[in-house]
Each structure stands twice: as C-alpha cells, then as structure tokens.
Amino acid sequence: MRRFIVIAVFLSLATALPRAAHAAPPTVDRIVRFHPDATAAERDAWLRDMRAEVLHAFSNGDALAVRLPAATAPGAAAMAADPRVAYVEGDAVGVPDLVPDDPLYGSQAQFHDPQFQDLDIQAESAWDLRHDASTVTVAVIDDGFLLTHPDLAGRFVPGFDCGNNDNDPSPDPDGTYYAHGTGVTGLLAAAGNNGLGVTGVCWDVRVMPLKHHNDYTSDYCNLSATLAAVDRAVAAHVDIIVCSFHYMGYEVDVSPASQFYRAFKAASDAGIIVVAAAGNDGKDIDDPANARYPANFAFANMVTVAMTGNWGVVTQSSARGDQTVDISAPGISLLSTWVDANRAATYETISGTSSSVPVVAGAIALLKAAHPELDYPAGVLARLYERAETPPGNEAYVIGGRRVNLYRALADVDAVAPAAPADLAVAGATDASVTVQWTETGDDGLSGQVDHFLVRCVDANSQVATVPAPPAPGGPGTVHDLTITGLPYQSWATVAVSAVDEYRNRATATITCELPYAVLTVDPAAVFMLARKGAERDTTVVIHNTGTAGILLAPSLRSGGPWLTFPTAPVFVAAGDSVTFGFHASAVGLSPGYYPAQVLFDCLKAFVVDVALGVLAPPAAAPGNDGAPAWAAWPNPFNPRTTIHYTLPRGGDAALVIHDVRGARVRTLALGARPAGRGSATWDGCDDGGLAVPSGSYFCRLNVDGDGQGTALRLQVVR
C-alpha cells in the first residue's frame, strides 16, 4: 500500500468565534400534527391564522415543521387546545459533541500514534484490504459544510439546509458560523492518498450534507431542523446517518407520540444505521436522569459511541454506559478538515465524541462495501461488534467493553488470544512506586511469540497512572519487570498486563499492589490525660509504627489553648520503631468550665486532655463529648473494635458502609431512620458474614437514603 505524508496546517481556534445574529424579526419553530378530522381548508386557515411558514412536511405522518413570528405565536399548550390541532411539539436546542483544540485532551491520533500503543484502529492494515466505500451514502446532520474544501472534493451529493430551508448547506454567509460539520465530515471522508492534508476513515464515500443550523440564531441546532434532516435522509434512502450532537432527555419530548421518536424510529425501520454521540460530560447515560437523544434510543439500528483515549479506554470526559453505549472509538485531538475565519479551507485538531462518531460510521461504511454478502444492517453490525477489541477496563463503560478495530472488522483474522502473562507478582515497592514482574507465555496459547505487551495501572484515586514503555517480547519463558512511579503516597494500585498479538487479540493478568504504609499505635495507658482545674500535669505518649514504611510525625492541636504545650519539631518514625513525646498541661488560672483538647499526629489522634472542675471524667466519655469531632473513630487504629462518631447533615435512612482498599464492600452498619445530628456506632472489625477482617486499611462512608455524604473515614485494623 502506498504510504504518504500528511501535511497539517493549523489555525488556532481555541475559543469559539463570536456570533452575531442576522437583523431579522425573531421567530419560533414548532412541529404540528393536525387532527385527522381537520379538512384541508381548516389546515390552511390555521396556517394563515398563525402566519406560519411551512419548513418541512414529514413523510412518515401528517406533521409539519413550521416557523411562526415570535411576537404573535401562542404557547404550545394554547396551540394544542385548537380543535384543528392534534399535537404540538416545542422546539429545543441541541448540543454539539465536539471540543475543538481542547488543551486538556493531549495529542492523539486515530490512525497512528507512536507514543501510545493500541490507541489506533489498525486502519493501515485494513486499508490494504479496502479503503473506499463509493457505493455507500452517509448523511451527516450538522451545522455547516465547506463544499469546496479540497480534501472533500467529489465526496458530497446534493444536500439541504434544513435550518434556513434552502439548498445550500454551506457555513453561514455572514462570517459568524460553526465549522463542526466540516470537521466531522473530514474524519469520515477526507480523500486519502491524494497528497493533500489528511485522510478520512473512508478514502471515497458519498456524503449527503444536511445542515440543521438556523443562521438567524446563535444556537448550534434546533429540533425541527434536526428532525427535518432525519426525514430527508430517510427519503433519500441513505445507508448511514451521522449524529454528532444530542438533545437532553429532560428538554425534549421523546415519547412514541413525538415526532422526535417517530423520525428516528422511521430511520431504524428503513434499515438505516444511525450513529450517535454519547456526549462529553462524563455521565452514565444508563441512568434515565442523564438520558440524551438520539443516543438513548433503543432502536435496533441505533449505534451509540463513546470516546477513547490512552490505552484505548473510554476517557473520563466521555459519557458512558455499559447497558447503553454500543461501541467506543478514538476521539481525542484527531486532525481533520476545518474552515478558517475567512471561510477558507484549513485543518484543525478536534476532540469529543463528535470525533468518535465519524470514525465508527466510516468503519461501518467500509465493512458494508467490503462484505456485500452480509445482511445489512444486522449482519454488518454483528460483525462490527463481534470483531471489536476489548481493552482492559472498557467493560465498565461500554457494552462488552467494545472498541472499534477496522482491521479486525474487515479481515478474517486469527481469533486465538495469547496465553495470559504468567506468575504476575510484585517484585518490589516503595511508598510511591511498584515494580511488577511476569513470565512471558506465547501467542495462540503457549506457542509462538506475542507481538507486544500493554500495561495499564489504575491508582487508589481511580486515576490511570503514567506507565513507561513495556519491555519488548523475548519469547516464551522470558521474565520481564516494569517499575511504575508517581503513585499516591502509601496507597495501592491495580496493574493489568496484557499479552497482545498482531490482531489485537489479548489476554490479561491483573494484580493489586499495596504500597508500604505506616501503621501507628499509641500505648493504651497514655491515650487519656486528666488535669484538675488549677493543677499541672506532665505526661508522655509513646507512638509505635508497626507498618512497612516510615512516616514523619509532627504533633498538632485540634482544640484547646495555651494551657497545653508540647515539642513541635517533626520526628521520623521508621517502620518497626517507636518514638516518645512529652506534654505539659497547666490548668492554673483557668476559669470554671470544661476544656477538652485533642492532640494529633497526622491522621492519628494520640490522646485527649480533659480539664475538669474538680471531677475526673472517665476515659470512655472522652470521644463522645461535645468537643469530639463530627467524623472520627475511637480508637483508631484498633483491635478488635472501634466506635465511629458521625454527624447526619439531614434526617433519613442512614448507614455506615465500610470498604476495603480495593473498593469492595466489607460491612454495612445499618443505622435505620435517624434525625439530623450526631450519633455513633460500633464496628467489631468483622465483615457482613461475621468473619474478622485482616489487618489493613479500610474506608467508611456515611450514606443517607443511599447517597454518600462527605469524605471517607480511614480506619486501621491491627491484628
């Protein structure tokens, strides 16, 4: 296959260009369906009464998209009350799923990126088999298309501007336009191997440009124009519809009676594959509260797409849903065709699920062209999904963890995965790094040699850690090691090592690595100190570190006053060592009253000082008095039990939920219906099955009516 150099020309568009609306009377758009008994004369009279301009007559029903003068248009409810009208659908504003030049997204590529393995879709191998889909028509519904862009020349078939109701879907003529449609089209269909700019997934495919932006507004798109565009795509019998936008479910009517529902169902029923963006807000769209459309429609031929970044895993900014999102694709900083401020052709990096959608649509187009023996659309979609790759970690965000792989979709590739790396173990660790070691197996089970390794590390904060380049394979039996640094201090990390063959078949071994950490305890006899009013008292506290890492301690005072003094210089306590601190309490001259104080060493409460009015309070009363913290455990570290003190911010069904460091639930302490305010509960150090948990760190979270409240409280069990 010919290789070529892509010459990229950039124009900085880090922020959106300001828009100035045309000087024209304001209008509102509505979708209206007349009552079946209304005569043609009554319908015409209604249009005259409303001074309505008909923008589109929908082919799948008796509905019209109309534009009304804003000054005289009645509300949707008033219009629906007219006996001639059966249904009125208000307009809405859609959201583009593209973030041009977002500096947070880093430099990536969908076809080739030497910095990150397995980021691309293996297009170069796929193009040796098929790089054109000239018999396939893809309708791109977007905001504007530079029909004269040299990298898109010959790709467009006649389209329509559904926002302005004319035949020209070009960018806005007044210079205040969007270039989103040109960018999306370039990722799908920019000409390949022509010595100009960039290439799309398909080097040759027919694109029907359908603009759904009204030049008289500053909105990205409007509902009536979007649905008119879908209707035109269905009438034109296109093969694929690209929807790099969404409308939020709480803003639009998507009931079966709505034109929104009917339009997209008509597309699916017509055998058209609709590829829709999941969105860029990082939300789980399995939750109905986060639903957006058309992505959340469950029609047979709807394909919802999430965005992947490093290691081929869905990014934190991408919407996700392991019951709703069908597949994922690269979407960060993809170079594409663009339009500059003078409406001239240029190139720009763009990011978002808008970028991922045309990548998937291009794969579907090539698959349809390369395998005409497959039923369309069901057979093509089945192959796309079955041949997708499944990067470790993606299964939590996408159905089956699927990520598009163009080569696997087109070719009859080897489907046998390598054997998983053997003997994966922690070979060494510091308080902020870990070294893992594994034994190489082979390709196709235990024979042959794998193509490469892929290592992914998720730290205790659920962040993907930076991992150095994995070692190159050396053949079965070779022992490899890799050190990952910069991990959260004295925490844990999960490391996944994948053996990958040349077709992206992979097998993964996973290990959770606990970094060395300090475990501090205080001599029990010194955890409570009493001083009578007017008296003085000296004491010492011995702190032991029974953990596996040293810690630097400096005492601090949570509450109290100048009557309590102690040395403030930090002291390092090595693993296995102890340190003694001296304290002096002087209650001389204090006014009558109650003076509690707590001395802490980092996360350890060393002891409590009470200055009483001639009465020595019992030690058991100290944690529960009014001076106690609102969110604490006493004692902590502990064995065998501790009392957890909490404050409910509001009344409700409350519970204390305890997790281990891997996030697995260990114990639920049901508190029942409680009013707002303070309370306490005892944990006996056992799990829900009544078995004592092992030594280590645990985290407690307060839940009210199922919702987490505040930060997690760290508990330390010492057996």
Side-chain angles (χ1 to χ4, degrees):
M1 185 180 80
R2 285 184 59 191
R3 305 297 183 194
F4 59 92
I5 298 174
V6 178
I7 301 174
V9 180
F10 293 89
L11 174 71
S12 176
L13 289 176
T15 57
L17 293 171
R19 298 187 53 83
H22 286 293
T27 58
V28 294
D29 294 343
R30 295 284 185 267
I31 295 172
V32 178
R33 186 175 304 122
F34 290 107
H35 194 281
D37 294 334
T39 65
E42 288 174 328
R43 298 182 184 197
D44 290 342
W46 185 92
L47 292 172
R48 288 194 302 272
D49 293 344
M50 294 293 109
R51 298 169 58 193
E53 173 191 358
V54 177
L55 301 178
H56 184 77
F58 290 96
S59 59
N60 65 329
D62 51 359
L64 299 176
V66 297
R67 179 163 294 163
L68 313 172
T72 59
M79 292 173 64
D82 191 304
R84 295 169 291 184
V85 175
Y87 174 84
V88 176
E89 191 164 347
D91 210 6
V93 176
V95 179
D97 287 324
L98 178 71
V99 185
D101 260 0
D102 192 320
L104 300 177
Y105 283 138
S107 178
Q108 304 291 332
Q110 69 273 43
F111 299 138
H112 176 68
D113 192 328
Q115 184 178 1
F116 294 101
Q117 287 185 310
D118 295 5
L119 177 75
D120 63 90
I121 62 172
Q122 286 196 299
E124 292 183 358
S125 299
W127 287 333
D128 286 331
L129 303 173
R130 185 84 185 207
H131 55 69
D132 73 278
S134 57
T135 60
V136 178
T137 302
V138 181
V140 178
I141 300 176
D142 222 292
D143 69 338
F145 304 84
L146 188 63
L147 304 179
T148 58
H149 198 295
D151 239 352
L152 301 177
R155 301 297 178 265
F156 292 112
V157 299
F160 197 79
D161 185 340
C162 299
N164 295 309
N165 207 33
D166 59 48
N167 292 316
D168 185 7
S170 299
D172 299 355
D174 64 353
T176 55
Y177 58 89
Y178 293 100
H180 191 280
T182 301
V184 169
T185 303
L187 294 174
L188 166 72
N193 209 28
N194 66 345
L196 285 176
V198 297
T199 182
V201 177
C202 297
W203 293 6
D204 187 9
V205 65
R206 295 185 303 214
V207 177
M208 181 180 184
L210 294 171
K211 183 168 176 278
H212 63 165
H213 167 65
N214 175 4
D215 292 352
Y216 294 94
T217 76
S218 60
D219 303 322
Y220 165 73
C221 61
N222 296 94
L223 183 60
S224 58
T226 299
L227 300 185
V230 175
D231 200 53
R232 287 183 177 274
V234 173
H237 305 291
V238 303
D239 301 293
I240 302 166
I241 298 176
V242 167
C243 297
S244 289
F245 58 87
H246 70 256
Y247 293 85
M248 295 306 297
Y250 54 79
E251 294 181 332
V252 294
D253 181 4
V254 291
S255 67
S258 71
Q259 189 62 35
F260 203 140
Y261 179 96
R262 291 153 59 96
F264 281 98
K265 186 176 188 301
S268 180
D269 291 348
I272 298 171
I273 295 176
V274 179
V275 189
N280 302 326
D281 55 9
K283 292 184 177 180
D284 184 350
I285 64 175
D286 290 344
D287 184 346
N290 300 325
R292 68 283 313 267
Y293 295 88
N296 271 79
F297 278 134
F299 302 136
N301 300 320
M302 179 68 61
V303 179
T304 300
V305 183
M307 170 177 58
T308 61
N310 300 348
W311 300 278
V313 178
V314 170
T315 66
Q316 288 188 328
S317 60
S318 174
R320 69 280 308 275
D322 62 6
Q323 304 298 314
T324 303
V325 177
D326 299 288
I327 200 165
S328 58
I332 294 182
S333 296
L334 307 187
L335 190 62
S336 186
T337 50
W338 201 251
V339 187
D340 69 14
N342 297 314
R343 297 192 299 282
T346 187
Y347 301 91
E348 187 61 79
T349 52
I350 57 179
S351 298
T353 50
S354 279
S355 304
S356 306
V357 164
V359 173
V360 172
I364 293 171
L366 285 181
L367 184 53
K368 183 180 190 302
H371 289 280
E373 76 281 3
L374 295 175
D375 291 336
Y376 188 86
V380 167
L381 288 181
R383 183 169 176 124
L384 179 76
Y385 296 151
E386 291 167 1
R387 300 296 184 91
E389 57 181 283
T390 54
N394 240 22
E395 64 277 358
Y397 309 125
V398 180
I399 296 172
R402 298 185 294 228
R403 181 178 182 270
V404 68
N405 185 300
L406 191 59
Y407 183 45
R408 290 169 62 88
L410 297 187
D412 293 321
V413 298
D414 169 13
V416 180
D423 306 321
L424 179 61
V426 177
T430 71
D431 54 16
S433 69
V434 65
T435 299
V436 292
Q437 187 177 84
W438 68 91
T439 301
E440 183 176 338
T441 51
D443 187 15
D444 294 341
L446 298 174
S447 62
Q449 183 170 311
V450 300
D451 185 72
H452 62 276
F453 295 107
L454 187 66
V455 179
R456 184 170 185 264
C457 176
V458 178
D459 66 28
N461 298 323
S462 299
Q463 301 295 313
V464 178
T466 301
V467 177
T478 303
V479 177
H480 301 280
D481 59 71
L482 184 70
T483 299
I484 303 168
T485 60
L487 298 175
Y489 177 66
Q490 295 191 357
S491 61
W492 57 274
T494 298
V495 179
V497 181
S498 300
V500 189
D501 68 13
E502 67 270 33
Y503 305 112
R504 297 274 177 86
N505 298 304
R506 70 188 77 203
T508 303
T510 303
I511 189 170
T512 297
C513 314
E514 191 166 280
L515 306 185
Y517 56 88
V519 177
L520 303 180
T521 60
V522 181
D523 284 348
V527 298
F528 191 77
M529 175 182 170
L530 294 169
R532 289 180 183 273
K533 182 178 68 69
E536 295 192 37
R537 178 90 178 268
D538 289 308
T539 192
T540 58
V541 171
V542 181
I543 298 178
H544 307 276
N545 181 4
T546 59
T548 56
I551 188 169
L552 190 65
L553 294 180
S556 60
L557 189 64
R558 180 190 292 270
S559 59
W563 51 271
L564 183 63
T565 58
F566 47 83
T568 57
V571 175
F572 181 77
V573 188
D577 285 353
S578 302
V579 66
T580 301
F581 285 87
F583 297 87
H584 179 75
S586 175
V588 176
L590 291 180
S591 302
Y594 179 68
Y595 302 88
Q598 295 172 357
V599 181
L600 300 99
F601 296 85
D602 295 339
C603 297
L604 175 71
K605 182 163 60 177
F607 65 93
V608 171
V609 177
D610 279 349
V611 180
L613 295 176
V615 178
L616 303 185
N625 61 42
D626 291 340
W631 185 225
W634 181 271
N636 189 21
F638 71 93
N639 181 15
R641 61 181 53 83
T642 186
T643 299
I644 301 168
H645 300 268
Y646 60 85
T647 297
L648 293 181
R650 57 183 172 85
D653 187 20
L656 295 172
V657 182
I658 300 169
H659 299 265
D660 63 17
V661 295
R662 297 169 181 82
R665 181 173 295 194
V666 173
R667 182 70 177 275
T668 299
L669 302 176
L671 304 176
R674 292 292 179 92
R678 292 191 177 190
S680 64
T682 298
W683 181 35
D684 59 5
C686 295
D687 61 19
D688 282 329
L691 299 177
V693 301
S695 297
S697 295
Y698 297 84
F699 295 89
C700 179
R701 184 171 291 279
L702 175 63
N703 282 4
V704 180
D705 295 329
D707 297 329
Q709 305 291 316
T711 60
L713 174 66
R714 183 168 181 166
L715 307 173
Q716 192 72 45
V717 177
V718 181
R719 299 296 187 190

